[in-house]
Amino acid sequence: WMAATENINPFGSGCFVASSPLGCQADPEVKCERGSDQNFALIIIGLSQIVTYFIIPPCSMMALYKLLHKAKKEHQSSKGMKQLIEGARKRLLRDVMIQISLYLFSFWATYFFSLIAFITQTVTGEKPYSLLIFSNVVLHSQGFIVML
């Protein structure tokens, strides 16, 4: 639908919902050749990105944590063995929570500069080339950053 209505155009370092030439809607002297009526598409894409980046990952991580937390605690062993197992279980839960936090922080950190570049370009109508280059390097290094 977006391609058929000619709303997918160059924007930043790739293609996105934008008018062509960029900024033509803000300047009455420049005629827009492509990309009209983008508001609905921008709302849908923006909401889907928010859900994909900021709601689904924390929810799935919390579900994993709750699943581990609800694991059966009953053991048919001595009191000392039960204490040992319970201590190991608490350490596991703490380690899982730390790992979840680090993963989410690194995941969101890779999108931070892209978000700043997008906001800057949307507000000013100009391409912040140095920020776009840096944000693309960081974003495409996401696998390496998350691995750390």
Side-chain angles (χ1 to χ4, degrees):
W1 175 72
M2 295 304 297
T5 58
E6 296 183 334
N7 282 318
I8 301 292
N9 293 302
F11 188 84
S13 61
C15 293
F16 193 67
V17 177
S19 55
S20 179
L22 187 62
C24 68
Q25 291 178 330
D27 189 356
E29 295 181 14
V30 178
K31 181 184 177 219
C32 289
E33 297 171 9
R34 297 171 44 103
S36 59
D37 192 27
Q38 305 161 359
N39 294 335
F40 180 70
L42 287 172
I43 290 170
I44 296 297
I45 291 171
L47 290 175
S48 66
Q49 285 181 330
I50 288 171
V51 168
T52 302
Y53 299 152
F54 298 107
I55 295 176
I56 293 174
C59 288
S60 61
M61 296 296 176
M62 288 296 106
L64 173 66
Y65 179 78
K66 291 292 182 186
L67 181 71
L68 290 174
H69 187 67
K70 288 183 179 182
K72 284 206 168 212
K73 297 180 184 179
E74 297 177 21
H75 303 285
Q76 296 180 0
S77 55
S78 66
K79 185 176 181 180
M81 186 58 105
K82 286 180 184 180
Q83 289 175 342
L84 183 66
I85 291 172
E86 189 59 32
R89 189 173 168 282
K90 285 181 182 179
R91 282 191 303 278
L92 172 72
L93 287 173
R94 186 191 72 225
D95 291 346
V96 166
M97 184 52 76
I98 290 170
Q99 187 174 4
I100 287 170
S101 301
L102 289 173
Y103 172 77
L104 288 176
F105 173 74
S106 61
F107 178 72
W108 290 332
T110 58
Y111 285 97
F112 178 75
F113 296 106
S114 295
L115 181 63
I116 297 299
F118 175 75
I119 291 170
T120 302
Q121 185 172 349
T122 303
V123 170
T124 64
E126 297 176 7
K127 295 180 182 181
Y129 288 105
S130 57
L131 185 57
L132 285 170
I133 292 169
F134 182 71
S135 67
N136 277 319
V137 168
V138 171
L139 184 63
H140 291 96
S141 304
Q142 182 181 18
F144 177 73
I145 293 170
V146 170
M147 180 187 71
L148 294 177

